[in-house]
Amino acid sequence: MTLQQVYKHAIKNNYALGAFNFVNLESLTAILDAAQELNTPVIVAVSESAFKYMGFEFLKSIIQGARKTYSIPFFVHLDHGKNLDICQEAIECGFDSVMIDASSLPLEENIKLTKQVVNFAHAKGVQVEAELGKLKGVEDDICSSEHLFTDPIEAKKFVEETNVDSLAIAIGTSHGVNKFSGEAKIRTDILTQIENAIPSTPLVLHGASSVPKELTQKINELGGNLKNAKGVPEEILTEVSTKHNIVKINVDSDIRMATTYAIRKYLTENSSEIDARKYLGEAKKEITKLVKEKILNVFKTKEINNF
């Protein structure tokens, strides 16, 4: 089963795959435990900064170990690669998919760089995601002070000239935990126009953590300071998963919040504990719980048996 096959199946059967970011062994296995229990495919994503944090050899080893351990199909994806070099390195590390994010460049330069990555990746049997438009907010090394919605006409030109496998679009979501200052709203009208322009292209939604209110409250009660935290309502995520061509939805901030809550809670209740396996074990449980909820009730991902 390839990622492109899953994307096509998702468009036809009205669901999306979660792309959950991981930064270490615990978060990776927590995500895969959830997908294994639900018998669904899943994407595990690594940001460029997380790639550097874990290191090439360590990351390569845990990916190889995970492939031997889990029976469900999972796909390792580079999130927001900024240049050809990091995409090549991820491919050498065993990734199934890479994202080249040249959205900060003028259109023609974005096209040129994306084509270079596509040519290299396709020769290795690896898929490429690109981005058109800008998402507001800050997460890892990604930072933008304003939205720039994806232009449907430019999207058609971009896909035709680059032969990219999937396209991340900007329709109102944001990176980080403070996604909206007022009413949470995304531009489904623009999404529909993009779908009409490139109907067979799998679309991707970034900045799509829901930032659960109960997690925000619990973290703050345990000494956190998450002010004005507001994510994408889950009903909106379900709508774009089941009624549009959004086949991949990125979740990073929610994973961080689940981790932070579990560790804060455990150490608050067990102030003399110094065994990292215990509080990281609690973090794993909380991540698995969150990922299962997203897969089953928000993205409506189909079981492998239904393929």
Side-chain angles (χ1 to χ4, degrees):
M1 184 183 296
T2 67
L3 184 55
Q4 194 64 20
Q5 288 173 332
V6 178
Y7 281 170
K8 290 179 180 179
H9 189 267
I11 290 175
K12 184 177 180 180
N13 293 277
N14 305 312
Y15 68 90
L17 261 68
F20 302 97
N21 282 63
F22 73 94
V23 297
N24 55 18
L25 177 64
E26 287 79 14
S27 51
L28 172 62
T29 55
I31 295 163
L32 294 177
D33 284 347
Q36 182 86 21
E37 185 173 337
L38 296 176
N39 196 35
T40 63
V42 72
I43 297 170
V44 288
V46 183
S47 68
E48 186 171 330
S49 61
F51 190 104
K52 295 174 182 176
Y53 171 77
M54 288 182 276
F56 180 92
E57 293 298 339
F58 174 79
L59 185 53
K60 184 177 181 179
S61 295
I62 64 171
I63 290 172
Q64 291 174 342
R67 296 200 192 281
K68 295 177 182 178
T69 304
Y70 293 89
S71 60
I72 45 97
F74 68 89
F75 307 96
V76 185
H77 173 76
L78 175 67
D79 192 22
H80 290 287
K82 287 296 185 181
N83 54 54
L84 178 60
D85 288 343
I86 187 66
C87 291
Q88 290 175 331
E89 193 171 359
I91 291 168
E92 292 171 6
C93 194
F95 283 43
D96 306 285
S97 172
V98 295
M99 178 196 185
I100 176 62
D101 181 3
S103 59
S104 62
L105 300 177
L107 177 61
E108 293 302 327
E109 292 182 36
N110 189 347
I111 289 173
K112 180 179 179 181
L113 179 53
T114 300
K115 285 174 69 174
Q116 292 175 346
V117 174
V118 167
N119 290 339
F120 181 85
H122 283 184
K124 303 286 185 177
V126 173
Q127 284 197 199
V128 179
E129 174 186 322
E131 184 168 343
L132 204 55
K134 291 182 183 178
L135 271 64
K136 185 178 180 180
V138 178
E139 193 167 85
D140 278 356
D141 296 330
I142 310 303
C143 179
S144 178
S145 60
E146 62 180 356
H147 287 297
L148 180 61
F149 296 122
T150 303
D151 183 296
I153 296 175
E154 289 187 351
K156 181 177 175 61
K157 171 183 171 68
F158 186 88
V159 169
E160 289 176 347
E161 294 193 18
T162 62
N163 196 30
V164 73
D165 299 291
S166 59
L167 184 66
I169 57 173
I171 54 174
T173 57
S174 302
H175 290 293
V177 296
N178 304 317
K179 299 182 184 299
F180 301 96
S181 57
E183 180 186 1
K185 185 178 180 181
I186 64 171
R187 295 291 302 274
T188 53
D189 57 326
I190 295 177
L191 172 56
T192 299
Q193 292 172 30
I194 294 170
E195 289 171 325
N196 290 337
I198 47 174
S200 61
T201 300
L203 302 178
V204 176
L205 193 64
H206 284 234
S209 283
S210 57
V211 188
K213 290 181 180 179
E214 62 274 17
L215 268 182
T216 301
Q217 182 178 348
K218 288 176 180 178
I219 289 171
N220 288 341
E221 289 173 351
L222 291 166
N225 188 26
L226 295 179
K227 294 181 178 179
N228 304 316
K230 189 173 185 179
V232 183
E234 291 187 341
E235 58 267 24
I236 291 179
L237 298 176
T238 300
E239 178 184 353
V240 299
S241 298
T242 59
K243 297 181 180 180
H244 294 275
N245 287 0
I246 299 290
V247 299
K248 172 177 174 282
I249 297 182
N250 287 21
V251 178
D252 189 359
S253 295
D254 286 354
I255 301 292
R256 300 181 186 198
M257 291 178 68
T259 303
T260 299
Y261 162 65
I263 293 175
R264 281 184 178 273
K265 181 176 185 294
Y266 187 85
L267 292 179
T268 297
E269 296 174 350
N270 302 273
S271 57
S272 63
E273 184 59 68
I274 61 171
D275 188 342
R277 292 170 297 183
K278 293 185 178 180
Y279 54 80
L280 290 177
E282 291 302 306
K284 281 187 62 177
K285 293 176 185 177
E286 196 67 30
I287 294 170
T288 297
K289 176 183 173 183
L290 182 143
V291 171
K292 285 172 61 179
E293 169 65 21
K294 300 283 187 185
I295 290 173
L296 191 63
N297 297 321
V298 182
F299 306 149
K300 309 292 185 180
T301 310
K302 304 298 182 186
E303 290 188 40
I304 296 166
N305 298 338
N306 293 325
F307 277 69

